[in-house]
Amino acid sequence: MSTVQNLQRTQTPAQRRRVLVVVALAFATIVLDGYDLMVFGAMVPALLEYPEWGLTPTRVGLIGSYTTFGMLVGALGVGFLTDILGRRRIVLACIAWFSLATVATAMASTPEAFGLFRFLAGIGLGGVMPTAIALTVEYAPRGRQQLYNAMMFVGYSVGGVLAAVVAIALLAEMGFRSLLWVGTAPALVLIPLVYFLLPESMSYLARRGRLEEAQQLAEKYGADIEVPDVDSTKGGRATSAVSYLLSKGRRGPLMLFCVASFMGLLLVYGLNTWLPAIMRSAGYPLGSSLSFLLALNLGAIVGTLAAAAVADRIGSRIAISLAFLAAAITLVFLSLQPTAALIYVFIALAGLGSIGTQILVNGYAAAYFPAWARGSAVGMTLGIGRIGAVVAPTMVGLIMDSNLGFQWNFYAFVIPAVLGLVAIVLVPRRSETAVSSSPQVARGSRTA
């Protein structure tokens, strides 16, 4: 069982500022991540009309799926690599990796090369997400983990807003490649900032036997540090995080989080990849269809922060269930072609119900499992959930090719929203799961 040694609950202003620096760096990383992913949705209409490639909606959907398949590979691999390299190094490597791959994508001369480099970029994107989540939740104050995770992860939607704004400004005049070039420039500033300012995971240091360094960070940031006890080691070797997560009493919750993540990411990537094209098929011009993508992500930013604050008060299970329910209801209303005044409201609510819901699922999964297994837990949840992200672009592309009508693009998302709700409701409370082999928890002094 885990124990908490709590010296003082209140952080000093200096400690609070240091934690906010961690959140800000993770936020900036996720902004790049969100821009790179969501800019593809903004490019879809231009790719469909690019005469040199002659792409169909199905082929564009497949290219969109290549990125998310790469993210699946990256997310599943990151848990193993963080045990070896640490989370800080993984963040640095992933930023450099997906930035270089995006440069290559901007220079691609064929759709095949374009898809290959999107896949390679996806590996870096998939690795950075669970690592940023794990670090943010680890350094966040207890009782405010969802809020801090949301503060960090709205960077994903900020990246989407920037993608829409840049697309509105540049796409018609300069083409889709210009959007990719813009997305690579901020990494030149972010990499040195992360190198000098982002701390290593305290749980990683503790598991590697570097307890003094871990305790120094706990004191500096006023954070909890989990110290492995004798039950989490066997013969002097640390228990594998993957073995721990797949053991009895933990497999069930982990799989339910994977199902919820699958459904959430299907909603996120389906809507962000295809919303501009869906709205164009409904008769809206290119500029208006891009503004819907902007509304989707603005709604996600505002709604996610509010929902995260609610989740810290009433519990993540209830908050996430309500968010999935909001997604299902909103998508039904969007299929009914509401008036111009209401459509932006419903699209903003869809942003909360899709992007916001997935952010809350990530935070819930990160807080549910102990810190030393958190990177692997979130990596596995997001990795398996990425199958939904892989399926979504192709699924909507096939629906659009079938000429069933744009309403069916929204109907296709209602069932995943309901299934995600059911999965979250079924996640047992932590007290109901087996929690042996948990590490001890010490708390850094809040008076330092």
Side-chain angles (χ1 to χ4, degrees):
M1 299 294 291
S2 63
T3 59
V4 177
Q5 297 175 4
N6 187 7
L7 301 181
Q8 188 174 338
R9 293 291 294 274
T10 304
Q11 285 180 315
T12 67
Q15 289 170 333
R16 192 176 301 113
R17 286 193 296 269
R18 293 179 192 123
V19 172
L20 289 176
V21 168
V22 175
V23 175
L25 290 172
F27 169 89
T29 302
I30 296 297
V31 168
L32 291 183
D33 199 330
Y35 177 94
D36 188 88
L37 288 167
M38 297 187 196
V39 80
F40 183 77
M43 291 190 297
V44 164
L47 290 172
L48 290 171
E49 297 171 1
Y50 191 54
E52 296 181 23
W53 289 355
L55 296 172
T56 65
T58 299
R59 288 193 68 192
V60 171
L62 284 171
I63 291 174
S65 295
Y66 295 155
T67 307
T68 51
F69 183 72
M71 294 181 73
L72 183 156
V73 174
L76 288 176
V78 73
F80 302 101
L81 290 176
T82 53
D83 286 340
I84 301 171
L85 301 175
R87 290 172 186 165
R88 179 174 168 276
R89 290 176 183 169
I90 290 295
V91 171
L92 284 166
C94 287
I95 295 172
W97 179 282
F98 73 67
S99 297
L100 290 173
T102 301
V103 169
T105 305
M107 300 172 65
S109 59
T110 66
E112 291 77 17
F114 188 90
L116 172 63
F117 292 129
R118 289 295 295 170
F119 166 77
L120 293 176
I123 294 176
L125 294 171
V128 80
M129 279 190 179
T131 311
I133 294 167
L135 275 173
T136 299
V137 173
E138 181 173 4
Y139 279 96
R142 271 183 308 151
R144 305 188 72 186
Q145 291 172 315
Q146 276 286 20
L147 179 59
Y148 274 61
N149 180 64
M151 288 166 57
M152 178 276 295
F153 220 97
V154 293
Y156 183 87
S157 296
V158 171
V161 169
L162 293 175
V165 170
V166 171
I168 291 170
L170 301 181
L171 184 59
E173 296 295 327
M174 301 183 66
F176 66 88
R177 296 180 192 275
S178 65
L179 309 188
L180 295 167
W181 284 113
V182 169
T184 61
L188 298 176
V189 177
L190 183 58
I191 288 176
L193 289 176
V194 170
Y195 181 83
F196 288 108
L197 298 178
L198 187 69
E200 182 53 87
S201 162
M202 295 174 292
S203 61
Y204 165 78
L205 294 173
R207 294 272 291 173
R208 302 285 288 187
R210 296 157 64 180
L211 296 177
E212 184 176 347
E213 293 177 60
Q215 186 60 46
Q216 288 173 353
L217 286 174
E219 296 285 343
K220 182 177 179 179
Y221 290 88
D224 291 336
I225 173 175
E226 295 190 357
V227 182
D229 61 15
V230 293
D231 293 327
S232 65
T233 59
K234 294 180 180 179
R237 298 181 59 187
T239 303
S240 164
V242 175
S243 298
Y244 171 85
L245 293 168
L246 296 180
S247 62
K248 184 179 179 181
R250 304 173 187 92
R251 287 190 298 265
L254 181 65
M255 289 303 103
L256 287 169
F257 279 120
C258 289
V259 171
S261 183
F262 176 99
M263 301 304 168
L265 288 169
L266 191 150
L267 293 172
V268 170
Y269 284 84
L271 290 173
N272 274 287
T273 300
W274 282 108
L275 185 62
I278 291 171
M279 302 314 289
R280 286 205 78 187
S281 71
Y284 296 92
L286 176 60
S288 295
S289 63
L290 288 173
S291 69
F292 292 134
L293 189 64
L294 183 63
L296 184 81
N297 287 282
L298 284 173
I301 293 171
V302 176
T304 300
L305 289 173
V310 171
D312 282 332
R313 288 182 176 273
I314 68 173
S316 295
R317 183 208 305 259
I318 297 174
I320 296 170
S321 299
L322 291 174
F324 268 125
L325 181 61
I329 294 172
T330 301
L331 290 164
V332 171
F333 278 115
L334 283 173
S335 72
L336 300 176
Q337 291 185 286
T339 63
L342 287 176
I343 194 167
Y344 282 98
V345 174
F346 288 139
I347 287 176
L349 288 173
L352 164 63
S354 57
I355 301 169
T357 302
Q358 183 58 37
I359 291 172
L360 294 177
V361 170
N362 293 337
Y364 190 16
Y368 192 90
F369 298 101
W372 66 273
R374 188 170 288 147
S376 294
V378 178
M380 292 173 71
T381 298
L382 281 173
I384 295 175
R386 292 287 173 205
I387 299 172
V390 171
V391 168
T394 302
M395 178 188 76
V396 181
L398 290 171
I399 293 173
M400 292 193 71
D401 273 343
S402 68
N403 296 316
L404 289 173
F406 88 98
Q407 296 92 338
W408 284 93
N409 294 294
F410 294 114
Y411 297 156
F413 294 122
V414 174
I415 293 176
V418 173
L419 293 176
L421 187 159
V422 172
I424 287 297
V425 169
L426 293 177
V427 172
R429 299 185 186 279
R430 286 196 65 177
S431 60
E432 298 169 12
T433 63
V435 291
S436 62
S437 300
S438 295
Q440 294 178 348
V441 180
R443 192 164 190 83
S445 172
R446 299 299 196 182
T447 60

